[in-house]
């Protein structure tokens, strides 16, 4: 049994695959124009057997055309459908590509008036709080209130019984069912006058009113959303009943809603008359047992394009294009009111009609007609334009008072002073709508030296501005001014004017050597010049006037250079800390001031100073920071993106301060020697106290600090730290001294306060740049280690 089921399943899957393959082959043959007669017969046979719902068919030929130019241009269609091959009609050999839309994606036509009974804000529910209408017909279940006042008083509250009567004391039963409120009031007045004579002479008054009202049942059938029997208040109307039934469906009519009362046609309501003309009498009050029927529409016509309400409309027999346009709210302002296009299906084919406005009232609409209202042509019969250097640019009409080009300029309030008079451009349309250009000499035109030009529709005159005929002129100022920048050029602008615009000279500026460079301008030159630009030197005094002779006038694109005075130097200083007599800040009073001079100015070192461990910290200059960053970027690039974190962990960061290795003892002994280093602004010289320990770090078993012993070698201190571990590179150990100097190898001299670093080996993987840096500094950068050591000695 299982084998049979499996076989059937595989057979079904094979059939689906073959069908999909055949369909794809037919599509490809259609695209290539190679369909055979047998394939055409196959399509016709499949179409006859599949019973395709043509309301879900979308023409796919446009999709094929776009497909050949790339899938990205295919018009987006709802997902879930499929492409098929179809003939235009059964038996026809004319084929087309079609797309069958999924069932839930077929758009419902928007039919005028159908949403009136589905709008939650428009229920047509009767108002039960209003006074009783005189035309309200009483029936069983209505509560009536009879008030009598004057010389006699009485109040009767009674509900009309099923037999249509109420009971009044001393009078007996009175039949009221089937009477309107006004008729019932007259009957009661006549009955009560037998016991209240004052009703005849006016000494007694009577009033009939309605208490609670009864319910009625009406039946709603036909093309409504939910047909059935509905219980409604007795004040309910036709429209409230239709709303309660969910309104008419897509097939229902609003033009002929029938009410049957007592088995006979009571009213035939055209709801369009209510919507369009406000005829509220059509909202008929219902009676118990009324039957409302909604028939299918007779003619459904679509109007598209430039009308105010483009949608579907129901049409009655004899209604015309004029009625349809009226239903659609008339034309929009952009509409072509002279004619409309009508598409009509006749005899299985589509016919097109062009209806002129004279025939709007005569062309009768048929079911399925589509009326298209076109727009206006985007052309002007008498418009011309003027743009550019005039006071009122814009578009103007050719009329009796303006027919020539000069009159157009005058209507635009004339030319501006910055107008380029030598040539204006007149764009003009040729008979084939292509453009041609006429050049106009405005100077001669306005002076009358040349004949005026007659305007034509759609002419456009472009008047250029003088400033628009050249690039924007600027001048620049650089150097020791408050706001070095590029400034707009103005005629007769001098160096002094530009200095004022730039906020004046800085205190450091040199007034004896201000340089101006100027471009060499020779538009007719054919040779390359060795000279790149002209150079001028100007002397400026404190009042920003030229020192001698006339003021120097600038030209466009001049550049002014204000240099720094060679003798203007900002104060600089160094800091001396630690074991000196007078620690603090000391000025660098002359060029190339050395460390021995600053120590002497600080009162020399104290007896407790450890001169051998003195060190110097220096701030990086801008250039050094750039070089340091470039080196760091190079290391990071070679290390690879994945190892950048390990670089940071190794302490490789851009530092603004770094140590400089010095030999202070040699500098003090031989002032002016190479050991007597030249200081610069911001340097910090620190002379520590004696530090009698040696710190061991890196690939040792127990990194720690060991007491310094004179004459002991590196191995002694390593052994004191537990010896090398199994990853140690024993021959690559190095020593960092307190003064910032470094020595490598096992024979390196060990001094008080120094640090011994033992690098470790790399396991398994090839050594990388990040690991090289890590070997040099496993927990911090070399600079940071030295600074840390120096801090420990304070």
């Amino acid at each position: 049994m299982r084998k049979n089921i499996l076989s059937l399943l595989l057979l079904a899957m094979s059939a689906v695959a073959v069908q999909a393959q055949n369909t794809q082959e037919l599509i490809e043959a259609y695209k290539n124009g190679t369909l055979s007669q047998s394939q055409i017969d196959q399509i016709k046979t499949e179409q006859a057997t599949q019973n395709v719902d043509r309301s879900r068919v979308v023409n796919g030929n446009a999709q094929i055309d776009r497909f050949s130019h790339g899938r990205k241009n295919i018009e987006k269609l709802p997902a879930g459908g499929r492409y098929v091959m179809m003939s235009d009609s059964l038996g026809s050999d004319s084929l087309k590509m079609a797309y069958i839309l999924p069932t839930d994606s077929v758009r419902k036509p928007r039919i005028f008036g159908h949403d009136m009974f589905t709008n939650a804000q428009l229920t047509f529910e009767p108002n039960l709080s209003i006074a009783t209408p005189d035309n309200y017909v009483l029936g069983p279940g209505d509560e009536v209130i009879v008030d009598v006042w004057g010389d006699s008083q009485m109040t009767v509250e009674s509900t009309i019984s099923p037999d249509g009567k109420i009971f009044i004391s001393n009078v007996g039963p009175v039949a009221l069912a089937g009477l309107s409120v006004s008729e019932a009031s007259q009957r009661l007045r006549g009955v009560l006058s037998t016991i209240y004579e004052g009703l005849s002479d006016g000494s007694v008054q009577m009033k009939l009113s309605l208490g609670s009202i009864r319910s009625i049942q009406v039946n709603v059938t036909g093309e409504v959303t939910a047909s059935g029997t509905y219980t409604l208040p007795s004040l309910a109307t036709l429209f409230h009943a239709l709303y309660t039934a969910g309104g008419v469906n897509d097939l229902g009519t609003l033009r002929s809603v029938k009410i049957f009362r007592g088995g006979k046609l009571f009213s035939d309501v055209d709801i369009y008359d209510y919507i369009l003309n406000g005829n509220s009498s059509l909202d008929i009050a219902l009676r118990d047992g009324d039957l409302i029927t909604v028939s299918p529409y007779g003619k459904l016509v679509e109007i598209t394009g430039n009308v105010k309400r483009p949608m579907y409309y129901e049409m009655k027999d004899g209604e015309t294009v004029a009625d349809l346009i009226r239903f659609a709210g008339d034309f929009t302002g952009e509409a072509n009111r002279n004619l409309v296009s009508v598409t009509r299906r006749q005899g299985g084919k589509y016919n097109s009609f062009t209806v002129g406005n004279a025939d709007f009232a005569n062309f009768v609409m048929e079911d399925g007609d589509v009326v298209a209202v076109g727009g206006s042509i985007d052309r002007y019969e008498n418009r011309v334009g003027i743009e550019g250097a005039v006071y009122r640019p814009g578009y103007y009409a050719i009329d009796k008072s303006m027919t020539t080009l000069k009159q157009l300029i005058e209507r635009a309030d004339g030319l501006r002073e910055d107008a380029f008079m030598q040539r204006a451009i007149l764009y003009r349309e040729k008979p084939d709508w292509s453009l041609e250009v006429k050049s106009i000499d405005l100077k001669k035109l306005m002076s009358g030296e040349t004949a005026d030009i007659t305007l034509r529709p759609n002419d456009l005159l472009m008047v250029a501005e003088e400033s628009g005929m050249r690039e924007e002129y600027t001048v620049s100022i650089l150097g020791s001014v408050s706001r070095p920048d590029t400034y707009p050029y103005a005629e007769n602008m001098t160096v002094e004017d530009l200095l004022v615009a730039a906020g004046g000279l800085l205190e450091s500026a040199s007034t004896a050597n201000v340089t101006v460079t100027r471009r060499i301008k020779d538009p007719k030159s054919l040779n390359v010049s060795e000279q790149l630009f002209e150079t001028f030197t100007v002397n400026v005094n404190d009042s920003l006037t030229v020192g001698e002779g006339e003021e120097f006038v600038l030209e466009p694109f001049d550049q002014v250079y204000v240099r720094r005075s060679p003798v203007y130097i900002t104060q600089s200083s160094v800091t001396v800390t630690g074991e000196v007599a007078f620690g603090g800040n000391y000025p660098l009073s002359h060029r190339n001031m050395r460390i021995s001079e600053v120590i002497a100015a600080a009162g020399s070192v104290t007896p407790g100073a450890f001169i051998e461990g003195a060190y110097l910290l220096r701030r990086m200059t801008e250039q050094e920071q750039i070089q340091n960053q470039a080196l760091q970027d190079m290391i990071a690039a070679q290390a690879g993106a994945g190892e950048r974190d390990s670089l940071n962990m190794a302490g490789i960061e851009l530092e603004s301060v770094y140590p400089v290795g010095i030999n202070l003892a040699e500098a003090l002994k031989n002032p002016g020697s190479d050991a007597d280093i030249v200081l610069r602004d911001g340097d910090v010289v620190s002379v520590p106290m004696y530090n009698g320990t040696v710190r061991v770090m890196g690939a040792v078993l127990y990194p720690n600090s060991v007491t310094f012993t004179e004459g002991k070698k590196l191995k002694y201190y390593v052994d004191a730290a537990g010896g090398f571990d199994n990853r140690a590179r024993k021959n690559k150990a190095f020593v960092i001294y307190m003064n910032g100097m470094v020595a490598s190898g096992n024979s390196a001299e060990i001094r008080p306060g120094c640090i011994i670093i033992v690098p470790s080996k790399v396991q398994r993987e090839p050594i990388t740049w990040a690991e090289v840096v890590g070997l040099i500094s496993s927990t911090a950068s070399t600079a940071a280690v030295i600074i840390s050591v120096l801090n420990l000695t304070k």
Side-chain angles (χ1 to χ4, degrees), residues 405-421:
L405 194 61
K406 187 174 180 180
Q407 291 172 339
L408 173 61
I409 295 173
E410 291 171 350
R411 180 157 293 186
D413 281 352
L415 299 167
R416 298 204 312 249
E417 287 76 6
D418 63 338
F420 185 70
M421 302 294 291

Side-chain angles (χ1 to χ4, degrees), residues 712-719 724 733 735 745-746 748 750 756:
K712 294 296 184 181
K713 299 297 182 181
L714 182 144
K715 189 175 184 305
Y716 167 79
Y717 296 98
V718 171
D719 290 341
F724 296 109
V735 179
N746 292 329
I750 306 301
I756 299 173

Side-chain angles (χ1 to χ4, degrees), residues 582-781:
F582 302 99
N585 296 324
Y586 289 87
L588 297 176
S589 56
H590 61 84
R591 298 179 186 278
N592 298 326
M593 190 170 181
R594 297 178 180 270
I595 192 171
S596 60
E597 297 176 82
V598 173
I599 294 297
S604 193
V605 297
T606 65
F610 184 50
I611 298 179
E612 180 183 331
Y615 60 90
L616 172 67
L617 297 180
R618 175 162 289 174
R619 283 202 308 263
M620 283 188 183
T621 64
E622 183 177 352
Q623 183 63 30
E624 288 172 338
Q625 290 184 18
I626 293 173
Q627 293 175 348
N628 193 42
Q629 184 63 56
L631 177 61
Q632 185 169 290
D633 292 343
M634 181 191 70
I635 294 174
Q638 294 188 29
E643 297 174 331
R644 295 183 183 224
D645 291 341
S646 61
L647 284 173
N648 292 333
M649 292 182 63
I652 304 301
E653 298 178 355
L654 186 63
E655 301 285 352
S656 60
V657 177
Y658 63 95
V660 177
I662 62 174
N663 188 340
L664 182 59
E666 181 65 23
L668 296 178
K669 181 179 179 181
N670 297 303
S673 64
D674 291 341
D676 195 6
I677 186 172
V678 175
L679 300 176
R680 69 186 191 195
D681 185 34
D683 282 354
V684 177
V685 179
S686 183
V687 182
M689 296 177 64
Y690 177 78
N691 181 2
T693 63
V694 174
R695 191 173 181 183
V696 183
M697 302 173 61
V700 292
L701 294 177
Y702 185 69
N704 66 352
S705 294
V706 180
T707 302
F708 172 77
T709 303
E710 186 71 36
K712 294 296 184 181
K713 299 297 182 181
L714 182 144
K715 189 175 184 305
Y716 167 79
Y717 296 98
V718 171
D719 290 341
F724 296 109
D725 65 15
N726 56 4
R727 297 179 298 111
R729 301 184 66 185
K730 302 177 182 179
N731 296 327
K732 299 298 182 180
F734 58 93
V735 179
I736 301 175
Y737 300 104
M738 288 186 67
N739 63 0
M741 298 290 190
V742 178
S744 60
N746 292 329
S747 60
E749 184 182 5
I750 306 301
R751 301 300 302 159
C754 69
I755 300 176
I756 299 173
I757 304 292
V758 181
S760 61
K761 297 177 182 178
V762 178
Q763 295 181 349
R764 299 185 189 92
E765 298 179 356
I767 191 166
T768 64
W769 275 93
E771 291 165 341
V772 170
V773 176
L775 292 174
I776 296 174
S777 178
S778 59
T779 58
S781 67

Side-chain angles (χ1 to χ4, degrees), residues 3-283:
K3 291 183 179 180
N4 293 335
I5 294 175
L6 181 59
S7 300
L8 290 173
L9 180 60
L10 293 175
L11 181 61
M13 294 174 61
S14 302
V16 171
V18 170
Q19 182 180 0
Q21 181 179 2
N22 291 340
T23 301
Q24 184 62 32
E25 290 176 356
L26 292 174
I27 292 174
E28 292 298 327
Y30 176 78
K31 289 163 53 179
N32 300 327
T34 58
L35 277 174
S36 65
Q37 185 60 45
S38 61
Q39 289 174 317
I40 294 175
D41 295 338
Q42 177 185 346
I43 292 170
K44 291 159 60 178
T45 301
E46 290 180 356
Q47 180 180 344
T49 58
Q50 288 180 358
N51 191 22
V52 175
D53 180 4
R54 287 182 174 265
S55 67
R56 292 163 46 216
V57 173
V58 177
N59 186 3
N61 286 321
Q63 309 304 318
I64 293 297
D65 294 339
R66 292 189 177 93
F67 186 85
S68 62
H69 293 86
R71 291 190 61 85
K72 66 180 180 180
N73 293 323
I74 292 181
E75 183 177 317
K76 290 184 178 179
L77 291 171
R82 57 191 176 91
Y83 277 104
V84 297
M85 296 297 306
M86 296 184 65
S87 60
D88 284 342
S89 61
L90 290 179
S92 172
D93 286 344
S94 176
L95 297 177
K96 67 179 181 180
M97 168 68 65
Y99 184 79
I100 308 300
L101 295 172
T103 305
D104 58 355
S105 69
V106 179
R107 293 183 178 179
K108 295 182 179 180
R110 187 182 174 204
I111 304 174
F112 178 71
H114 277 211
D115 57 352
M116 186 174 78
F117 298 111
T118 58
N119 186 349
Q121 306 301 322
L122 189 65
T123 65
F124 299 101
E125 186 174 352
N127 186 355
L128 303 181
S129 300
I130 63 174
T132 306
D134 288 339
N135 61 351
Y136 176 77
V137 178
L138 298 173
D142 282 335
E143 180 188 25
V144 296
I145 302 173
V146 182
D147 290 312
V148 177
W149 71 94
D151 291 345
S152 299
Q153 297 183 358
M154 180 188 70
T155 298
V156 175
E157 295 182 6
S158 180
T159 301
I160 299 176
S161 64
D163 59 358
K165 299 176 182 179
I166 65 171
F167 184 83
I168 300 177
S169 299
N170 301 322
V171 174
V174 179
L176 298 180
L179 301 178
S180 66
V181 171
S182 60
E183 292 171 342
S185 181
Q186 291 297 325
R187 174 169 292 187
L188 286 172
R189 182 177 293 275
V191 170
L192 292 176
S193 62
T194 59
I195 60 175
Y196 297 111
E197 295 181 356
L199 287 174
S200 300
D201 59 18
S203 61
V204 176
Q205 302 293 326
M206 188 210 76
K207 179 177 176 60
L208 172 66
S209 59
L210 197 64
S212 59
I213 64 174
R214 70 186 187 278
S215 296
I216 62 174
Q217 285 189 333
V218 295
N219 299 306
V220 184
T221 63
E223 302 299 334
V224 292
T225 302
S227 58
T229 300
Y230 292 92
T231 300
L232 303 173
S234 58
L235 292 175
T237 62
L238 168 64
F239 293 170
H240 180 56
L242 289 175
Y243 176 83
T244 304
V248 300
N249 60 28
D250 293 339
L251 296 178
T253 180
L254 294 178
R255 305 301 304 274
S256 181
V257 178
K258 296 180 175 63
I259 301 176
F260 292 89
R261 184 168 292 167
K264 297 180 180 180
L265 178 64
F266 175 76
S267 182
D268 190 345
V269 177
D270 183 354
I271 298 179
Y272 274 26
D273 191 17
Y274 173 84
I275 298 174
L276 298 172
N277 304 319
N279 186 358
S280 60
S281 65
L282 299 175
D283 193 11

